[in-house]
Amino acid sequence: MPTFDISSEVDMVALKNAIDVAGRQITNRYDFKGTSAAVELNEKDNLITLHGDSDFQLDQIKDILLPAMEKKEADSAKRLDHQDVQKVSGNKVKQVLKIKAGIDTELAKKIVKLLKDSGLKVQASIQGDTVRVTGAKRDVLQDAIGFVKKSVTDFPLQFGNFRD
């Protein structure tokens, strides 16, 4: 039976490249000269840390970073989980952005329910951080891909491992 997997993997090369681009733009901007404005990527923990002198400056850094990420990988800004702004020594602030990788169980259950309610003749099962969809024909699976793409717009999904 034909199958495919729905997953959500982070393209770390594109993410690292976007952060480098944003870092260069920050160092070249006149209004950031002499400030603590910076962007750091912690690959091991999947965290992006923004450093700045004020909340306004953090917003300016996000205005540089998010479009750079979108340019490298579509919908990649939707996978960021914005944490609270923290005060650091003196008048400096920082904000941590968690990078969500994989499909969490809540979203996986939502996708399975959507497919069951859609009336398409497919079966969906949760396998770890992916959702496997099985159907009788390739055409039905392609319809399922289109349906999920249209229904789930708040998180980036990849459709792969298509097998006959």
Side-chain angles (χ1 to χ4, degrees):
M1 290 188 75
T3 64
F4 72 90
D5 290 338
I6 302 172
S7 61
S8 181
E9 299 301 319
V10 181
D11 185 358
M12 287 308 275
V13 174
L15 182 65
K16 206 183 299 185
N17 192 333
I19 289 174
D20 290 344
V21 167
R24 279 195 301 273
Q25 285 182 356
I26 289 168
T27 55
N28 290 337
R29 270 185 54 166
Y30 180 76
D31 55 340
F32 288 150
K33 296 278 187 223
T35 65
S36 63
V39 180
E40 294 176 357
L41 172 66
N42 184 343
E43 280 186 72
K44 190 178 80 170
D45 297 330
N46 280 346
L47 298 174
I48 299 172
T49 309
L50 310 176
H51 298 277
D53 289 345
S54 65
D55 292 347
F56 176 74
Q57 198 173 57
L58 285 182
D59 290 338
Q60 293 290 310
I61 294 170
K62 279 189 239 173
D63 288 344
I64 294 171
L65 176 64
L66 298 181
M69 287 175 62
E70 288 291 327
K71 197 178 282 183
K72 302 294 179 191
E73 182 185 7
D75 291 338
S76 60
K78 292 179 182 177
R79 81 170 64 247
L80 296 179
D81 183 19
H82 299 262
Q83 303 297 310
D84 293 334
V85 176
Q86 303 168 342
K87 294 267 186 229
V88 188
S89 62
N91 57 351
K92 311 256 187 266
V93 292
K94 78 173 187 176
Q95 184 175 21
V96 175
L97 307 176
K98 286 186 180 175
I99 304 165
K100 294 187 271 185
I103 299 176
D104 61 339
T105 55
E106 203 172 292
L107 181 60
K109 288 178 183 176
K110 177 182 171 187
I111 291 170
V112 170
K113 185 173 179 350
L114 278 170
L115 287 171
K116 281 184 180 174
D117 295 345
S118 69
L120 295 170
K121 295 187 177 180
V122 294
Q123 293 81 38
S125 62
I126 301 170
Q127 297 186 340
D129 60 352
T130 63
V131 176
R132 171 140 315 148
V133 181
T134 308
K137 296 181 181 171
R138 295 179 77 178
D139 296 342
V140 176
L141 291 182
Q142 289 171 341
D143 292 342
I145 290 174
F147 180 73
V148 172
K149 276 184 182 177
K150 193 170 59 176
S151 301
V152 180
T153 57
D154 58 342
F155 196 73
L157 299 174
Q158 285 105 22
F159 302 90
N161 204 12
F162 200 99
R163 298 196 177 157
D164 263 334

